[in-house]
Amino acid sequence: MARKQLDLLNALDAAKTQLYHFTTIIIAGMGFFTAAYDLFGISVVTKLLGRIYYTVPSGPNSKTPGILPAHVSSAVTCVALVGTLFGQLFFGWLGDKLGRKKVYGVTLLLMILCSLASGLSFGHHAGATMATLCFFRFWLGFGIGGDYPLSATIMSEYANKKTRGSFMAAVFAMQGFGILTSGIVGLLVSSALEHGIHVYTYNQNAELSLPPQADYVWRIILMFGAVPAAMTYYWRMKMPETARYTALIAKNAKKAAEEMARVLNVEFDPEEAKLEKFVEEPSNQYGLFSKQFLHRHGLHLLGTTTCWFLLDITFYSQNLFQKNIFTAIHWIPTAADMSGIQEVYEVSKAQTLFALCSTVPGYWFTVFFIDKIGRWAIQLQGFFFMTVFMFALGLSFHHWTLHKVPFIILYSLTFFFSNFGPNATTFVLPAEIFPARLRSTCHGISAAAGKAGALVGAFGYLYASEPSQPSHDDAGYPPGIGVKYSFIGLGFVSLFGMVFTFLVPEPNGKSLEELSGENEDDSFDAVVESTPDKQGAYNPTIPV
């Protein structure tokens, strides 16, 4: 049976959209902007790193520019994802223990320092430079990981229930602008540093195809990630703690009322006696590893973790290895027909085009429709169309290598529906359906499952997308199944995502306490409440 909600929480649920909502979106969103820039910006420069540090001036492979060896490429690409996974688990747990605000600034500070340090990676030979780059990118990922559960939880606990989905989706949509900006920065930096010098392709002159300026290109691109994070650090530190944490977890009703009074410009009764009764209810006492949690939220957690895991297999393999796909359909010239900086320009141009035409619009379609048609419907249709387009791309892959424009359109649609679909909703749902005292932790677990999927996608696609016959362009890589069958495999992954979507509830239009069961009077084994049936008799019902 539902209990009467605290007036303070009712006020938050019913509050009109105000300046502080938009301020929170920007402050939290800039963390995601930075995270996306840092995670996906590496794909712009990996080919250049191979040229700089692994080109062999003479020998059997000297006819093509150097590439990162398989183990180095996987480390450089994936080490930030490993850090992100651990950061999500650690900071998600810490956010429920110490408060959202106390650890919010730490994640951003890590992102700023490690973005700068990544560009300053040093060493006297290739191995040392790659090792220091991987070290700093691990800790960069660790900071990025903390931003997921904290930003999601803060935005969900600040928002009103009418527009909560749109506000949270808007925070996550900044990821699209981060991906777009990584491409734009790559275009600008490569154009600027190659301006005024004579351009040689590798075939024309291997040595002059890699001018000294090339070493600055990748460093500047990686270091730029510190700029957006630094811009919002002050405002992030000035944010008040969320009322739901202060009241329901810290159990300080007076402080929660005072802080929200300043935000909403309304005076509140702290309702200390009512709060004490609220937090002492059995429904607000159980922990993560309890039968009560398993009963109430076990399937929900299985749904959020599995859907995010499956989604990120597809999402990260597509984003991190776009350059491989563009090369496979001959949209980007072969490496030997470009200079090192030209290759950065071409990869950046393709990434920018896809982000502008499909990735960014997909995020904002979710922002506009999530509170109208609901999270569940958006996630299901997103997985459905991803399945359709992945199969279409894979089953007719040879046809698309001859007809590039239709391929690009279909490929763009997979990005559009991943973002107008599960890429946004898997972020939103875990911050809505779990109790306040476990919200950040459960979001961190769900997000970490996603990054485990990203690692599967990144490592798997790195090798799987290789041609079945040994390739001279990618010497040192074992034969794979090729891009065609990789697409088909990703189609099956998306199909499973549709199935597991049925485990998550629809939170649209409900308060966080109603969704999590925190406003229930009864405990898990509770007393049976009597309710009248149609004949006037009373039948026992167990509260859920």
Side-chain angles (χ1 to χ4, degrees):
M1 181 176 68
R3 159 176 69 241
K4 187 179 179 182
Q5 181 75 296
L6 293 170
D7 289 342
L8 173 62
L9 303 185
N10 269 334
L12 284 170
D13 285 335
K16 294 181 179 179
T17 301
Q18 300 179 38
L19 178 61
Y20 86 91
H21 287 122
F22 295 108
T23 303
T24 305
I25 289 172
I26 294 170
I27 294 171
M30 287 308 289
F32 274 91
F33 178 99
T34 304
Y37 181 94
D38 290 329
L39 288 177
F40 298 110
I42 193 66
S43 65
V44 172
V45 301
T46 48
K47 285 184 176 288
L48 179 61
L49 290 171
R51 284 179 181 253
I52 294 173
Y53 294 103
Y54 292 93
T55 295
V56 180
S58 61
N61 298 322
S62 62
K63 293 182 179 180
T64 58
I67 61 169
L68 295 177
H71 67 284
V72 176
S73 179
S74 59
V76 168
T77 303
C78 300
V79 69
L81 299 177
V82 176
T84 302
L85 188 155
F86 286 107
Q88 287 164 335
L89 292 172
F90 177 73
F91 285 111
W93 168 78
L94 205 62
D96 283 333
K97 295 298 179 184
L98 300 183
R100 290 67 161 119
K101 179 189 173 181
K102 285 184 179 179
V103 292
Y104 204 29
V106 176
T107 62
L108 204 63
L109 194 59
L110 265 175
M111 292 159 70
I112 294 169
L113 295 176
C114 292
S115 291
L116 294 173
S118 294
L120 297 174
S121 298
F122 53 87
H124 294 295
H125 53 83
T129 304
M130 294 301 105
T132 53
L133 175 60
C134 289
F135 174 81
F136 291 125
R137 282 190 63 79
F138 173 85
W139 291 107
L140 172 65
F142 193 72
I144 289 171
D147 226 61
Y148 276 75
L150 295 172
S151 291
T153 301
I154 285 171
M155 193 68 250
S156 72
E157 293 182 346
Y158 266 120
N160 61 57
K161 65 182 181 181
K162 183 178 179 181
T163 57
R164 185 178 61 237
S166 293
F167 290 160
M168 294 180 68
V171 169
F172 195 64
M174 296 299 286
Q175 188 180 78
F177 289 123
I179 296 172
L180 175 64
T181 303
S182 67
I184 293 173
V185 171
L187 288 172
L188 295 175
V189 173
S190 58
S191 298
L193 291 185
E194 202 167 49
H195 179 71
I197 63 174
H198 187 78
V199 177
Y200 292 90
T201 69
Y202 187 86
N203 281 334
Q204 291 172 334
N205 189 312
E207 183 177 352
L208 294 180
S209 73
L210 195 66
Q213 293 91 329
D215 192 55
Y216 295 110
V217 170
W218 72 269
R219 296 179 185 276
I220 293 171
I221 290 172
L222 295 185
M223 291 171 72
F224 184 82
V227 174
M231 289 170 60
T232 54
Y233 180 76
Y234 171 79
W235 299 108
R236 185 171 284 204
M237 298 307 296
K238 296 289 288 183
M239 288 179 70
E241 182 58 86
T242 71
R244 283 184 161 92
Y245 179 87
T246 305
L248 301 181
I249 302 176
K251 302 178 184 179
N252 190 335
K254 185 177 180 181
K255 184 178 180 182
E258 289 173 352
E259 289 181 343
M260 286 304 100
R262 288 198 300 270
V263 169
L264 297 174
N265 296 313
V266 177
E267 293 298 324
F268 294 102
D269 178 358
E271 301 180 291
E272 292 175 316
K274 188 175 178 181
L275 173 65
E276 184 177 354
K277 183 179 179 182
F278 189 98
V279 298
E280 287 180 358
E281 286 289 342
S283 59
N284 293 326
Q285 296 292 319
Y286 61 82
L288 180 64
F289 303 105
S290 65
K291 290 182 179 179
Q292 291 93 326
F293 179 86
L294 184 63
H295 170 73
R296 289 181 181 272
H297 299 294
L299 288 178
H300 298 162
L301 188 59
L302 177 63
T304 58
T305 53
T306 307
C307 288
W308 208 335
F309 173 82
L310 295 169
L311 175 276
D312 274 5
I313 291 176
T314 301
F315 184 75
Y316 278 83
S317 62
Q318 285 186 93
N319 275 283
L320 291 173
F321 298 104
Q322 281 182 32
K323 58 189 183 298
N324 300 34
I325 295 168
F326 300 150
T327 302
I329 65 166
H330 312 298
W331 191 32
I332 292 178
T334 60
D337 291 327
M338 295 183 285
S339 72
I341 300 180
Q342 277 181 317
E343 191 168 30
V344 173
Y345 182 88
E346 291 296 330
V347 172
S348 299
K349 182 174 69 174
Q351 182 161 311
T352 301
L353 180 63
F354 271 92
L356 193 61
C357 296
S358 60
T359 302
V360 172
Y363 282 111
W364 288 96
F365 263 66
T366 301
V367 173
F368 291 128
F369 289 106
I370 192 168
D371 287 314
K372 295 179 175 63
I373 63 178
R375 291 75 158 144
W376 191 87
I378 288 176
Q379 182 162 309
L380 191 68
Q381 62 89 27
F383 271 129
F384 171 78
F385 284 111
M386 288 169 66
T387 303
V388 170
F389 293 129
M390 288 295 181
F391 282 140
L393 290 168
L395 293 173
S396 302
F397 185 73
H398 177 69
H399 173 78
W400 303 125
T401 61
L402 305 175
H403 302 83
K404 298 179 182 60
V405 173
F407 173 89
I408 292 167
I409 292 172
L410 281 181
Y411 189 55
S412 296
L413 287 170
T414 66
F415 281 89
F416 177 82
F417 282 105
S418 66
N419 294 310
F420 180 39
N423 192 40
T425 55
T426 51
F427 170 80
V428 172
L429 283 163
E432 295 184 300
I433 60 180
F434 298 108
R437 65 192 178 280
L438 300 172
R439 185 168 292 133
S440 180
T441 300
C442 289
H443 194 284
I445 293 170
S446 302
K451 287 302 166 283
L455 288 168
V456 170
F459 277 111
Y461 199 87
L462 178 69
Y463 293 99
S465 61
E466 289 295 310
S468 56
Q469 299 298 322
S471 169
H472 291 295
D473 290 336
D474 290 345
Y477 284 72
I481 59 174
V483 174
K484 170 187 174 75
Y485 292 105
S486 296
F487 272 127
I488 294 173
L490 294 177
F492 280 108
V493 169
S494 299
L495 182 62
F496 285 124
M498 287 179 61
V499 174
F500 281 94
T501 294
F502 287 89
L503 295 181
V504 296
E506 176 54 71
N508 200 16
K510 299 178 181 178
S511 74
L512 296 180
E513 287 69 41
E514 183 180 357
L515 286 163
S516 64
E518 288 169 289
N519 63 348
E520 295 289 339
D521 264 333
D522 303 294
S523 65
F524 170 67
D525 297 316
V527 253
V528 174
E529 180 193 358
S530 294
T531 57
D533 63 15
K534 291 181 180 179
Q535 287 75 35
Y538 281 79
N539 293 320
T541 58
I542 306 249
V544 178

